[in-house]
Amino acid sequence: MTLQNGSSDCHINLPKIKFTQLFIDGQFVDAVSGKTFETIDPRNGEVIAIIAEGDKDDIDLAVKAARHAFDNGPWPRFPASERRRMMLKFADLIDQNIEELAALDSLDAGKLYSIGKLSDIPNAAEKLRYYAGAADKIHGSTLKMSGQLHGYTLREPIGVVGLINPWNFPSQMFTMKVGPALAAGCTMVVKPAEQTPLSALFLAHLAKLAGIPDGVLNVVTGYGYSAGAAISSHMDIDKVSFTGSTVVGRLVMQAAAASNLKPVTLELGGKSPFIIFDDVDVDKVAALALRAIVYNKGEKSVLPVRAFLFNTMRPQVDEKQYNKILSYIEIGKKEGATLLAGGKPAANKGYYIEPTIFTDVTDDMTIAKEEIFGPVMSLMKFKSVEEAIKRGNATKYGLAAGVMTNDLNIANTVSRSIRAGMVWINCYLAFSDALPFGGCKMSGFGREMGMESLDSYLQIKSVAMPIHNSPWL
């Protein structure tokens, strides 16, 4: 198989992928039902491979393996330095297989191979290294209690966790969730998006090569309504982390509550305002806004889809998403927004859409309220700081926002007034493994990345004991 990165000279040869299996208890196995589904190349609509379709029975097997590995296996009982060593080896193996992983994400998700090789896959490895470094720095506190008592806290791994990933950054999302779970000493069942299953299976193979014990990391490919639902409602899963739409996030939370009241981390949709004041260089800011909206084909919830005034495109992930974006563009035109640029398919085959900009957009229009998850931006005007804050907050979402101004007072006022989990001032899409990421309102709760993510895979146990004949209390 030959991958070519557009008009560049970047080529990579891969063996022809025909069929993949689930990864359970350290082995690649067929789905119990024998069912399969196709993963599609969004550049041309052709079948890449036949994928094993896991469902409830397969999730049960994966959870059983993860539970045994947690209750009886060495992973939670290793010295933290040993978990760190294996995680660092895992990261090194990702680096050594960077071309294969970049190729798989390019094939499966329609991402640029060059970006995968230069950014996505190295960042996936670095996330493992970040949490590997934290593995031996997990500790509790010593507490001074009243009376002749001594108290302290332990921070223990929460147990078996279910990790449900989206399609937009397959390899990075994998290590973003797997990294802190491994560092904490948890075992896990990972369900990648059905649109992008390939890199998750390859990463599971690399984890085994790194020495991570069987049963610690399991990957079940399949659909959200079956495999994902089975994870959310499983009585023997202790926590779920889900990244995806708000609609599905609500279902995950309901299933978690109705089963064993497992805690959930939800990173959901966004409708992020990009507020541009008149004291900045509009040409430079416009270029930043355009780069941001076409970044990763517009498939990122934090993108500045509501720019309050204020390339290389790849295909959308599948035909369903492609048609959804085009339908929103038609809704925008019907509701009276002015189509300034783009708005049409950008190729005769594949799921390509032109970067699209609307003007004359009002807050009550559908394209101003609902997450499109594609390269579509709405330009809207404001007259005062107060109006910008009010309209920036006029959304059910609260994932991210951008503020562009040379006035420090305005920057502070707006950034502290916008209800969002992340605010960028005079920049956009500035991420770091150390910087917590997540939202509020209907963009979810909990945090990915940073030490806050590690905390979500740990639970606090308080211990108290009497002390006798102590010279001091």
Side-chain angles (χ1 to χ4, degrees), residues 9 29 50 74 79 125 134-135 137 152 170 178 255 280 318 323 349 409 429 445 457 461:
D9 295 324
V29 296
I50 305 301
K137 299 170 183 65
Y152 60 94
V178 165
V280 298
D318 61 12
N323 290 330
K349 67 177 182 178
N409 290 327
L429 299 177
F445 49 81
Y457 294 96
K461 177 183 288 181

Side-chain angles (χ1 to χ4, degrees), residues 279-401:
D279 61 345
V280 298
D281 186 327
V282 175
D283 290 337
K284 291 182 179 180
V285 172
L288 173 62
L290 179 60
R291 288 195 302 271
I293 195 60
V294 300
Y295 174 69
N296 203 53
K297 311 166 287 172
E299 292 176 350
K300 191 165 182 65
S301 294
V302 299
L303 296 186
V305 292
R306 295 184 298 147
F308 294 88
L309 215 98
F310 336 96
N311 98 41
T312 300
M313 283 302 296
R314 298 300 290 168
Q316 304 307 305
V317 73
D318 61 12
E319 185 176 12
K320 180 180 178 182
Q321 184 65 16
Y322 171 81
N323 290 330
K324 174 186 173 183
I325 295 167
L326 290 177
S327 70
Y328 272 114
I329 292 172
E330 290 304 311
I331 290 171
K333 292 190 288 187
K334 289 179 181 178
E335 291 187 350
T338 300
L339 182 61
L340 182 66
K344 301 187 299 295
N348 293 326
K349 67 177 182 178
Y351 309 130
Y352 296 84
I353 296 175
E354 295 175 342
T356 301
I357 299 176
F358 281 103
T359 59
D360 303 316
V361 179
T362 57
D363 294 332
D364 59 345
M365 290 182 178
T366 302
I367 59 172
K369 295 188 297 182
E370 297 184 10
E371 183 180 38
I372 299 173
F373 215 64
V376 181
M377 175 181 282
S378 299
L379 300 183
M380 308 158 79
K381 297 180 180 179
F382 66 92
K383 295 181 179 179
S384 67
V385 173
E386 292 73 21
E387 181 188 353
I389 293 170
K390 181 179 179 180
R391 296 178 65 192
N393 283 329
T395 172
K396 61 186 177 183
Y397 299 108
L399 192 56

